[in-house]
Amino acid sequence: MRLTKLSRLGNAFLRSAAYERRFLAKNPWDFSMVVWIPLATVLLIWWIFSQIQITDLPIGVIDNDRGPVANTAVRYLEANPNLTVKQLYHSPAAAEAAILQRDIYAVVIIPEDFSRNISSSKPAPIILQVNAQYGTHSGIIQTSVQSVIGTLSAGVEIQRLVKQGVAPSQAAIAYSPISIQRISLFNAVTDYQQFLASTVIPALLHILAMVVGATTIGRELRDKRIGRWYRFIDGSRSDLTLPSNDIEANTLDNVASSQLPAPKNVSVLVLIFGLLGKYFWPILAYSIWAILAIWLAAPQQSIAVSSIIATYLGLVLLMMLSFWLGALFTLGSYSLRMGLSATGFISAPSYAFAGVTFPYIAISDSAQHWSDALPLTHYLKLHIAQLQMQAPVAVSLPIVYGLTLATLIAMFLTALLSKRALAHPERWGAR
């Protein structure tokens, strides 16, 4: 009896996988959502961030002084690897037009009498006008210009002290008695592939996986075929070698799908194994893309094998959870359109709440609660801890356990909602 039940469940899995394989073979768009689009997404994002550092940000200079110190300042700005002086402007209006057209992102204004004020030991400020609309550009430009002007100011002050008879070493100490030694603990080279690309890829795969999860079961509801699908996986048709158009065109006793009654005695276990078979090919494909994403995200320095395994398991669990969440939204609303809308509403902005580009502790309490409810937030914590910070695996194991539990619960709920959908054939066919 027990072997018979296990055989029934195994057959449900195999039949459902065969059913889905035939569908994907006949529908290139759905096949592309499983294979080509996620592959292209991974490679495209990695290529976009192939220049791992932001360099040569264009700025303009308005030199109203044209003195020797001002010329030195311009040379220092040009020598900074993060900046490039694209043009010397002669009027604020021309510089403003260049900023509005995004030819430059900032303008450095050297006022008149700049060199004379320095020679007279008077304040000699330099004005930096930066387009703060672009946060990353703005931050890099401000830091770089501040570094250049700080170096120039130090050189001027040290020269002044040396002229007064102070030894060069003493002059350097007198100008800056307290210094800071900066040590970057993680991502020391400010690698944007490691910082952004490696986390954007899982976020986009998460979105695609939720869409696949919604459409895979949603099309059965939309086309009124969910009842026939269950009969097929439960053994109502014995021949698994039927051609694909037989599954698409024929039903039991040659009756139209919309006229079939609701299946009776629906088994939750059969549904679970049937759903596993139905999502087998997406799970397999996205597991391969997860390997590619982890391989690209792993930095050059050695990482413990246990960290890579934990990160890979976390990403695969995130993909599986995304499939089930997409299915839940569709089955819960009996509508593929509503399911896709819900997946877009939840998954698309989830990266913004994950605490990668904007600090988690700086967002409001309500936003933190929403962030904590999103699975992507927890995976990215694991991802950053293991691949970028090289934290002990024990730190991230609770996240792996949590994703595992959430995936199992979501899968069970998907089966229950599938059983509910099978009991209400009058709701089938909703768009």
Side-chain angles (χ1 to χ4, degrees):
M1 185 69 180
R2 185 174 181 180
L3 290 176
T4 303
K5 187 174 183 179
L6 290 176
S7 176
R8 182 190 179 192
L9 297 178
N11 285 335
F13 174 85
L14 293 175
R15 285 172 173 268
S16 187
Y19 182 101
E20 192 65 18
R21 179 183 60 80
R22 294 186 184 107
F23 179 87
L24 292 176
K26 297 288 289 184
N27 294 270
W29 175 249
D30 292 85
F31 181 80
S32 296
M33 283 294 295
V34 174
V35 177
W36 302 122
I37 292 179
L39 174 60
T41 298
V42 172
L43 298 179
L44 179 62
I45 293 298
W46 203 252
W47 173 75
I48 289 174
F49 291 92
S50 57
Q51 184 174 342
I52 64 175
Q53 291 179 309
I54 297 178
T55 59
D56 297 329
L57 289 172
I59 65 171
V61 175
I62 299 177
D63 186 2
N64 294 324
D65 180 76
R66 294 185 176 84
V69 181
N71 292 334
T72 302
V74 175
R75 290 199 305 270
Y76 280 15
L77 289 170
E78 180 63 36
N80 189 286
N82 297 328
L83 306 174
T84 182
V85 179
K86 185 172 184 179
Q87 187 174 340
L88 293 175
Y89 296 93
H90 302 289
S91 69
E96 181 181 357
I99 290 178
L100 292 176
Q101 294 173 5
R102 290 189 296 180
D103 292 333
I104 59 175
Y105 291 98
V107 58
V108 175
I109 302 174
I110 303 175
E112 295 179 4
D113 300 327
F114 175 71
S115 299
R116 185 182 306 171
N117 288 336
I118 291 176
S119 300
S120 304
S121 298
K122 294 180 180 179
I126 286 180
I127 301 171
L128 171 64
Q129 295 179 346
V130 61
N131 185 357
Q133 180 67 34
Y134 300 93
T136 302
H137 302 62
S138 171
I140 293 175
I141 290 174
Q142 291 184 60
T143 301
S144 300
V145 172
Q146 185 178 10
S147 175
V148 167
I149 301 306
T151 301
L152 179 65
S153 178
V156 170
E157 181 64 17
I158 290 173
Q159 285 183 359
R160 187 182 66 83
L161 292 174
V162 169
K163 288 180 180 180
Q164 294 176 358
V166 180
S169 59
Q170 293 282 335
I173 296 174
Y175 173 74
S176 181
I178 301 175
S179 62
I180 182 172
Q181 183 180 4
R182 299 181 182 181
I183 300 175
S184 298
L185 297 178
F186 312 111
N187 198 12
V189 296
T190 61
D191 183 341
Y192 275 82
Q193 272 190 334
Q194 185 179 350
F195 167 53
L196 278 180
S198 69
T199 54
V200 168
I201 288 173
L204 293 177
L205 290 178
H206 169 58
I207 297 173
L208 293 174
M210 288 192 70
V211 171
V212 171
T215 55
T216 299
I217 193 67
R219 62 174 179 260
E220 305 297 342
L221 275 173
R222 180 196 61 194
D223 300 336
K224 301 182 181 182
R225 293 172 179 168
I226 189 170
R228 186 187 58 185
W229 167 74
Y230 180 78
R231 287 187 176 88
F232 182 80
I233 68 172
D234 199 28
S236 295
R237 187 186 295 274
S238 58
D239 188 4
L240 277 176
T241 63
L242 289 170
S244 58
N245 59 357
D246 187 75
I247 292 180
E248 295 296 325
N250 297 320
T251 57
L252 296 175
D253 300 325
N254 295 321
V255 180
S257 298
S258 59
Q259 297 175 344
L260 286 173
K264 297 180 180 179
N265 301 322
V266 175
S267 170
V268 173
L269 281 177
V270 170
L271 276 174
I272 289 176
F273 278 81
L275 288 168
L276 286 173
K278 192 167 185 59
Y279 286 92
F280 171 76
W281 302 110
I283 291 173
L284 177 62
Y286 277 73
S287 297
I288 296 174
W289 310 143
I291 294 175
L292 177 60
I294 298 300
W295 178 71
L296 292 174
Q300 298 300 321
Q301 63 266 27
S302 60
I303 297 178
V305 176
S306 57
S307 294
I308 295 178
I309 292 175
T311 308
Y312 176 70
L313 288 176
L315 185 52
V316 171
L317 288 169
L318 175 67
M319 296 298 100
M320 294 179 65
L321 180 57
S322 301
F323 293 138
W324 301 131
L325 289 177
L328 283 174
F329 294 134
T330 300
L331 292 168
S333 61
Y334 289 98
S335 168
L336 177 57
R337 182 182 68 251
M338 292 298 295
L340 290 173
S341 298
T343 59
F345 174 77
I346 291 174
S347 63
S350 59
Y351 187 78
F353 291 88
V356 176
T357 56
F358 193 86
Y360 173 83
I361 60 175
I363 61 178
S364 64
D365 291 341
S366 57
Q368 286 186 1
H369 295 324
W370 177 250
S371 175
D372 293 337
L374 298 174
L376 180 65
T377 301
H378 301 283
Y379 167 74
L380 290 181
K381 288 181 180 178
L382 181 153
H383 179 102
I384 293 172
Q386 295 304 314
L387 296 187
Q388 298 184 16
M389 302 173 67
Q390 299 187 24
V393 176
V395 173
S396 300
L397 285 181
I399 296 178
V400 176
Y401 299 149
L403 289 173
T404 302
L405 181 61
T407 301
L408 293 175
I409 293 174
M411 180 176 63
F412 182 72
L413 291 177
T414 301
L416 292 181
L417 288 180
S418 298
K419 182 176 181 178
R420 187 191 69 165
L422 287 167
H424 295 279
E426 72 278 2
R427 301 292 299 274
W428 303 349
R431 295 291 171 176

